[in-house]
């Protein structure tokens, strides 16, 4: 006997409150944009330029003592943060020291790094310098521009792909869902204040691919059912298609979240930002595939004659997996 978490014959009406869900999504997007414009993002060294020094010591981190040690060097904006992680040993006290990019300097000099390390060594004799990362102001500016272009090009490529494979209505629904996912992910980073660096850009691009995969599976089943039920109202076709793929959607998202939550708890602070972005992205991506992309498709309408396009059973290889 097979265990079924989701019955085969679910008949949920996903469009009963579609206006409310779309309204909530629109509100959250506006809230995310307002948060980014007012609070900004906690850019890492990749995007701000400067130097990050990660330290370890057996003594508890004294942020005021660390700050006094480097104050005499007149380095400008210096941020010192103690890192907490359940995987650390009792005698493993970790701090992150961020030094702003120095004016007219393409790369922070080794002499400056040596001076900071020497000052900290004098204050905390057993301190160890685990890693040092430096990025010049010009390089960080180019990285911001390149990262933005990468995300925009990825979404544009999705628009073209869906348009060619389906119809423009499907493309608009899919792209709006992707913009929804990216905007909410950036917004939560602004609100929470988690460091935003190149790893997060990689997470955003991964979220785009994950959300697109979910959306395409649903759209493939919609197209198949439009051929099969030519007289059925579009709303009923969409509801039927989402219910038929619901098992696959929840199984995929659920198993992915299990792995991500394990990494979030046990993976350590180095990858925590990336894993947090992925976890949030899987949740909003699953939501948007059902409540945003399909709801927009219902409002835009779609052609009912698919007899001239696409092979049979396209894209449904994994749509009938039991959950």
């Amino acid at each position: 006997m097979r265990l079924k978490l989701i019955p085969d014959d679910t008949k949920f009406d996903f469009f009963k409150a579609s206006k409310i869900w779309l309204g909530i999504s629109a509100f959250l997007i506006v809230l995310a944009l307002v948060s980014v414009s007012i609070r900004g993002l906690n850019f890492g060294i990749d995007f701000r330029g400067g130097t990050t020094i990660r330290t370890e010591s057996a003594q508890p981190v004294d942020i005021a003592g660390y700050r006094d040690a480097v104050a005499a060097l007149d380095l400008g904006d210096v941020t010192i943060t103690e890192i907490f992680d359940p995987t650390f040993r009792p005698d493993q006290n970790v701090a992150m020291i961020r030094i702003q990019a120095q004016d007219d300097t393409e790369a922070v000099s080794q002499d400056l790094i040596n001076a900071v390390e020497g000052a900290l060594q004098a204050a905390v004799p057993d301190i160890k310098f685990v890693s040092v990362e430096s990025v010049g102001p010009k390089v960080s500016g180019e990285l911001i521009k390149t990262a933005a272009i990468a995300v925009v090009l990825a979404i544009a490529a999705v628009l073209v792909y869906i348009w060619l494979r389906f119809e423009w209505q499907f493309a608009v629904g899919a792209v709006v869902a992707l913009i929804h996912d990216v905007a909410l992910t950036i917004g939560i980073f602004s609100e929470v204040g988690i460091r935003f660096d190149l790893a997060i850009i990689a997470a955003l691009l991964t979220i785009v691919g994950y959300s697109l995969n979910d959306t395409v599976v649903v759209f493939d089943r919609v197209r198949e059912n439009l051929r099969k039920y030519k007289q059925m109202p579009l709303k009923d076709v969409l509801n039927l298609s989402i219910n038929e793929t619901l098992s696959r959607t929840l199984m995929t998202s659920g198993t992915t979240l299990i792995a991500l939550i394990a990494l979030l708890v046990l993976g350590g602070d180095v990858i925590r930002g990336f894993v947090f972005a992925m976890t949030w992205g899987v949740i909003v991506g699953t939501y948007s595939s059902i409540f945003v992309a399909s709801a927009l498709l219902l409002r835009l309408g779609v052609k009912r004659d698919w007899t001239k396009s696409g092979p049979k059973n396209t894209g449904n290889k994994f749509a009938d997996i039991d959950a």
Side-chain angles (χ1 to χ4, degrees), residues 6 11 77 100 141 173 234 240 249 255 262 266 282 288 297 303:
I6 305 297
K11 296 180 180 179
D77 183 21
Q100 72 173 22
L234 180 57
L240 175 64
T249 298
T255 52
L266 303 174
V282 167
S288 67
L297 183 59
K303 76 175 187 177

Side-chain angles (χ1 to χ4, degrees), residues 57-75:
S57 66
Q59 300 180 28
V61 174
D62 180 2
I63 294 178
Y66 283 30
R67 191 179 301 280
D68 291 340
V70 299
L73 300 176
D74 193 21
L75 300 175

Side-chain angles (χ1 to χ4, degrees), residues 150-201:
V151 175
V152 171
L153 288 180
I155 294 177
V158 168
L159 175 64
V160 175
Y161 166 72
I162 299 293
W163 196 330
L164 293 176
R165 181 167 180 177
F166 299 96
E167 292 290 326
W168 69 266
Q169 297 95 330
F170 289 85
V172 171
V175 168
V176 170
L178 294 182
I179 294 173
H180 167 276
D181 300 342
V182 171
L184 293 193
T185 303
I186 294 175
I188 196 69
F189 269 78
S190 175
E191 282 295 320
V192 177
I194 299 175
R195 189 175 66 223
F196 195 91
D197 52 22
L198 283 178
I200 309 306
I201 298 299

Side-chain angles (χ1 to χ4, degrees), residues 166 170 215-229 237-238 240-246 313-321:
F166 299 96
F170 289 85
T215 303
V216 167
V217 168
V218 174
F219 281 178
D220 263 335
R221 183 55 64 92
V222 170
R223 182 172 62 176
E224 184 177 296
N225 285 333
L226 285 172
R227 294 195 190 103
K228 189 175 180 181
Y229 305 103
V237 172
L238 289 169
L240 175 64
S241 303
I242 296 172
N243 276 287
E244 287 179 344
T245 57
L246 185 62
N313 299 325
T314 302
N316 291 291
K317 181 178 180 182
F318 303 106
D320 294 320
I321 296 176

Side-chain angles (χ1 to χ4, degrees), residues 14-28:
F14 293 98
F15 301 98
K16 186 176 182 180
S18 61
K19 291 182 180 179
I20 295 176
W21 293 119
L22 286 176
I24 291 174
S25 294
F27 172 76
L28 290 176

Side-chain angles (χ1 to χ4, degrees), residues 266-285:
L266 303 174
D269 65 285
V270 175
I271 63 170
R272 183 156 291 138
F274 175 85
V275 176
F276 176 82
M278 285 297 303
T279 304
W280 175 261
V282 167
I283 294 171
V284 298

